[in-house]
Amino acid sequence: QSVLTQPPSVSGAPGQRVTISCTGSSSNIGAGYDVNWYQQLPGTAPKLLIFGDNNRPSGVPDRFSGSKSGTSASLAITGLQADDEADYYCQSFDNSLTDSVVLFGTGTTVIVL
Amino acid sequence: QVQLVESGGDLVKPGGSLRLSCTASGFIFSDNYMSWIRQAPGKGLEWVSSISPYDNALYYADSVKGRFSISRDNAKNSFFLQMNSLRADDTAVYYCATSSNAFYDTSGFTWGQGTLVTVSS
């Protein structure tokens, strides 16, 4: 089954902006399926951060934003804070001839320097 | 608010079976797709299976097809994952999750806290 590829880690100093890419293909992101993003703090369950490509659930700061173009999506974090240090996953869907599946990205660890 | 509580995780021998349960509250259970997603120790998230609101559509990852079976009981606001022929690489925290009334959901997953399944002799 297909995969969504993310960089293993990104880093930035407090206050800086970092971006996380999520690269798919024509059968998933490129087919127009929405991309969602999740934040997973150490030892906890994932939490929805962005849904429908670029929408924030209630309570998520506007420092987090999502975008999508072609076969890729991105998550941007501005004004980086120490408690943003976590793992981040993109998620979308894939529909081949035989299967409909949920896809998760490979995951990215954000390191606050 | 939405609450999902998993149970049933345990230590099981390779080739064994286990049944996970998830009980939901805070939303209209019979309206939503329900899913199982797992995370092996130190690894990323892997979708396992999803079930439509009224059982007529079941979805499985290739890695569990033919071994795992998903089901639900709308009267009890619960759904289940029957896991057979378990292997060491099935060892993971298993999360239950809900989305919306569509498989190709635009609203994202809401997650439970997870239950640990360990497959080892």
Side-chain angles (χ1 to χ4, degrees):
Chain A
Q1 286 170 334
S2 302
V3 295
L4 302 177
T5 302
Q6 299 178 230
S9 66
V10 299
S11 61
Q16 284 190 330
R17 180 180 188 267
V18 297
T19 61
I20 301 169
S21 60
C22 173
T23 303
S25 68
S26 59
S27 64
N28 41 71
I29 297 175
Y33 294 117
D34 279 7
V35 177
N36 305 312
W37 289 89
Y38 302 89
Q39 178 192 59
Q40 187 175 32
L41 297 169
T44 70
K47 167 193 157 188
L48 182 64
L49 200 62
I50 296 288
F51 67 94
D53 297 340
N54 55 14
N55 301 285
R56 286 184 307 277
S58 174
V60 173
D62 60 6
R63 301 186 298 104
F64 296 92
S65 62
S67 63
K68 186 175 79 176
S69 177
T71 58
S72 295
S74 291
L75 174 72
I77 310 173
T78 57
L80 197 63
Q81 299 179 359
D83 58 4
D84 295 333
E85 199 158 90
D87 293 328
Y88 293 81
Y89 296 91
C90 60
Q91 175 256 309
S92 188
F93 303 90
D94 198 284
N95 184 14
S96 67
L97 288 176
T98 56
D99 283 319
S100 298
V101 300
V102 176
L103 291 181
F104 283 95
T106 50
T108 298
T109 300
V110 169
I111 300 166
V112 181
L113 301 171
Chain B
Q1 76 275 19
V2 173
Q3 193 164 19
L4 301 168
V5 179
E6 304 91 339
S7 61
D10 205 347
L11 171 64
V12 61
K13 288 181 167 49
S17 297
L18 204 59
R19 188 187 194 220
L20 304 183
S21 300
C22 176
T23 301
S25 61
F27 63 101
I28 301 174
F29 181 77
S30 58
D31 278 355
N32 279 21
Y33 274 74
M34 303 300 297
S35 299
W36 291 98
I37 299 159
R38 69 185 181 183
Q39 186 171 35
K43 302 296 184 184
L45 301 172
E46 180 189 16
W47 170 76
V48 174
S49 181
S50 298
I51 183 169
S52 64
Y54 288 99
D55 291 358
N56 57 329
L58 310 177
Y59 305 84
Y60 296 98
D62 284 348
S63 58
V64 306
K65 210 172 284 186
R67 301 187 300 122
F68 290 11
S69 176
I70 193 171
S71 61
R72 65 190 294 161
D73 184 341
N74 287 343
K76 294 184 178 178
N77 281 10
S78 296
F79 80 117
F80 313 97
L81 187 68
Q82 177 66 42
M83 303 186 294
N84 299 328
S85 303
L86 282 161
R87 311 186 303 222
D89 63 359
D90 294 318
T91 295
V93 173
Y94 284 73
Y95 295 101
C96 70
T98 186
S99 49
S100 70
N101 60 359
F103 180 78
Y104 298 108
D105 165 68
T106 60
S107 61
F109 289 111
T110 300
W111 306 66
Q113 289 307 299
T115 188
L116 177 62
V117 173
T118 303
V119 184
S120 174
S121 54

